[in-house]
Amino acid sequence: MPDYKLGTNCLHAGYTPGNGEPRNIPIVQSTTFRYETGEAMGALFDLEAEGYFYTRLQNPTNDRVAAKIAALEGGTAAMLTSSGQAANFYAIFNICSCGDHVVASSAIYGGTFNLFSVTMKRMGIDFTFVAPDCSAEELEAAFRPNTKAVFGETLANPALTVFDFETFAKAAHAHGVPLIVDNTFATPVNCRPFEWGADIVTHSTTKYMDGHALTVGGAIVDSGKFDWTKYPDKFPGLCTPDESYHGVTYTERFGLGGAFITKCTAQLMRDFGSIQAPQNAFLLNVGLETLPLRMAKHCENAMTVAKYLENHPKVTWVSYPGLESDPNHALALKYMPNGTCGVVSFGVEGGRTAASKLMAGLKLASIATHVADAKTCVLHPASTTHRQMSNEQLMAAGVSPDLIRLSVGIEDPADLLDDLENALAQL
Ligand SMILES: *Cc1c(COP(=O)(O)O)cnc(C)c1O
């Protein structure tokens, strides 16, 4: 395919219909695929031939949508997962085993924090969390001889901290490990982490990529830039033969562009099976087609709402990286000059109790444990998504107990401001 721009790739990348074929990516609703001989299928099992045999590992619908996401991020390979949680788990577990260690920004999604600090810790993988704005010395001190990756979020959910890619990429690469970035909130429309030194990108496609709150899903994209073969002792899974696949060495057989995703599919998808349903991949693809249009509108509306809130006497603080007053504004301009996302966080006079009252007073914005879809919704993380965290952990993640997370949709902004005005008047 020619080198099209992102907006064109949102419609056309990943799938080129042949003569007389469907214009939309077909839903291949089949668990299994038929072969003429046992040998033909055997070659697939040995990763000697390309093809499909069982949808738990790969499905053509998913692969086409994944290829589109790879094109949008500027990566060499991608895979879909059943959720964003699965994507982040796979991305790390693909290169970390029991006894390994990861340096992660503390400003990350609550679910990811729990996955790392509780569940993956039980698997023997240790995480050191550092403040997103920590000094070079603090960052340096977080590394250990067994560190295998650095992890961050482009725009932290819900703190909206902007990840300083260059600082973290530099530290990661100085230690011979890849930088993995969750790019869910910015989407490749607003930020392409590979251009700033990230090596692997993950997504919860549940958010803006789907964009209509229809499907839970995730994606992992490889830049193909990280040279695992320079550190064979650190990454034996990629650089030495995999006995569970007849001795294939992923970096040798699939090159730097394909090794990470092939290993992740062949081992982790095979063994954990967190595949995305082809139906969901189809719906995700419909969302991807309009991603640039929606992101622009989300950002425009969020900016309007953030400015309105900033000037409201009952609002004590507003966090939106697009605001000039925001501490993350300079980083946002550097990494996301066209806009950040549609999520705005704020607090109101009267703290926690007033926050619940405000939410109850909103009519157009629905209370939902969700963000980043077309319809405006609102959430109080301290009593829902982040309730497992202590106050100290909340503060480290940039989530104050009174934080209200408003996910601004693509409605007419005048109606959104009216809704807020009415609810604020009731406080
Ligand atoms: C929602 C979210 C996740 C988890 O994704 P699911 O699809 O809900 O599993 C991970 N990272 C970020 C930044 C998110 O917003």
Side-chain angles (χ1 to χ4, degrees):
M1 201 185 259
D3 202 7
Y4 289 128
K5 305 236 180 320
L6 185 130
T8 306
N9 279 335
C10 279
L11 291 149
H12 296 285
Y15 175 60
T16 311
N19 190 38
E21 286 181 355
R23 288 179 74 212
N24 286 311
I25 297 177
I27 304 172
V28 179
Q29 191 66 52
S30 184
T31 57
T32 32
F33 301 81
R34 180 182 168 270
Y35 288 91
E36 303 279 337
T37 64
E39 287 71 37
M41 187 179 272
L44 299 178
F45 273 89
D46 285 355
L47 299 178
E48 269 159 11
E50 266 189 56
Y52 297 93
F53 52 97
Y54 190 44
T55 285
R56 167 150 49 76
L57 282 105
Q58 275 184 291
N59 172 284
T61 308
N62 292 22
D63 281 358
R64 287 162 175 167
V65 180
K68 176 179 283 187
I69 294 174
L72 300 183
E73 287 288 4
T76 53
M79 66 196 280
L80 299 187
T81 57
S82 57
S83 67
Q85 287 297 101
N88 281 327
F89 170 59
Y90 280 22
I92 300 225
F93 202 63
N94 203 31
I95 46 172
C96 292
S97 306
C98 181
D100 287 339
H101 172 259
V102 176
V103 176
S105 162
S106 62
I108 53 174
Y109 173 64
T112 310
F113 181 82
N114 203 66
L115 167 69
F116 290 174
S117 63
V118 180
T119 303
M120 292 188 79
K121 193 168 167 53
R122 276 174 50 210
M123 299 172 158
I125 299 170
D126 265 335
F127 289 78
T128 297
F129 295 95
V130 295
D133 56 353
C134 68
S135 68
E137 294 73 40
E138 283 168 311
L139 186 52
E140 183 61 30
F143 284 85
R144 301 182 193 163
N146 57 343
T147 302
K148 297 293 172 72
V150 174
F151 182 91
E153 253 170 51
T154 304
L155 276 166
N157 172 8
L160 301 178
T161 320
V162 178
F163 188 64
D164 194 349
F165 289 98
E166 285 183 335
T167 304
F168 280 79
K170 202 171 148 213
H173 296 157
H175 287 271
V177 302
L179 173 62
I180 304 175
V181 174
D182 181 332
N183 197 32
T184 297
F185 265 29
T187 83
V189 170
N190 284 338
C191 183
R192 304 220 306 166
F194 294 154
E195 292 169 3
W196 297 103
D199 302 288
I200 309 286
V201 157
T202 60
H203 280 280
S204 165
T205 60
T206 317
K207 313 294 165 53
Y208 290 116
M209 282 193 167
D210 167 310
H212 302 79
L214 297 176
T215 62
V216 173
I220 309 170
V221 191
D222 183 11
S223 67
K225 285 190 294 189
F226 191 83
D227 192 351
W228 313 101
T229 62
K230 272 168 81 182
Y231 315 98
D233 297 341
K234 272 199 215 300
F235 306 107
L238 284 157
C239 305
T240 53
D242 175 3
E243 294 317 326
S244 75
Y245 266 109
H246 307 279
V248 59
T249 298
Y250 292 99
T251 43
E252 275 174 19
R253 180 80 64 81
F254 303 100
L256 293 184
F260 187 90
I261 293 294
T262 307
K263 174 179 182 292
C264 204
T265 303
Q267 293 179 341
L268 302 188
M269 209 44 109
R270 175 194 64 189
D271 295 348
F272 293 112
S274 322
I275 194 81
Q276 187 166 135
Q279 286 270 354
N280 284 2
F282 173 84
L283 291 169
L284 164 60
N285 184 56
V286 176
L288 288 171
E289 293 195 350
T290 56
L291 186 63
L293 301 177
R294 289 184 290 103
M295 285 313 286
K297 183 67 175 163
H298 277 292
C299 292
E300 189 189 318
N301 279 1
M303 196 65 177
T304 306
V305 165
K307 282 186 176 153
Y308 163 82
L309 289 171
E310 197 176 35
N311 291 313
H312 197 287
K314 288 183 184 168
V315 173
T316 45
W317 58 270
V318 183
S319 163
Y320 185 64
L323 288 177
E324 271 172 37
S325 59
D326 194 272
N328 284 282
H329 188 62
L331 282 178
L333 281 184
K334 174 173 174 182
Y335 295 119
M336 288 164 269
N338 299 325
T340 52
C341 68
V343 181
V344 177
S345 300
F346 65 102
V348 284
E349 260 174 26
R352 209 176 174 130
T353 354
S356 329
K357 199 166 166 208
L358 177 89
M359 297 217 303
L362 290 167
K363 297 236 155 46
L364 180 57
S366 47
I367 298 178
T369 309
H370 197 254
V371 281
D373 68 77
K375 302 181 191 81
T376 296
C377 59
V378 64
L379 181 80
H380 183 215
S383 57
T384 53
T385 47
H386 288 58
R387 64 183 301 145
Q388 77 280 6
M389 293 170 99
S390 69
N391 272 352
E392 292 70 41
Q393 287 171 334
L394 277 176
M395 295 309 285
V399 185
S400 65
D402 66 339
L403 182 147
I404 298 166
R405 185 180 69 183
L406 185 67
S407 171
V408 181
I410 57 175
E411 294 94 342
D412 189 307
D415 291 328
L416 295 176
L417 295 190
D418 275 353
D419 197 29
L420 283 165
E421 182 81 28
N422 286 336
L424 283 162
Q426 292 167 39
L427 295 187

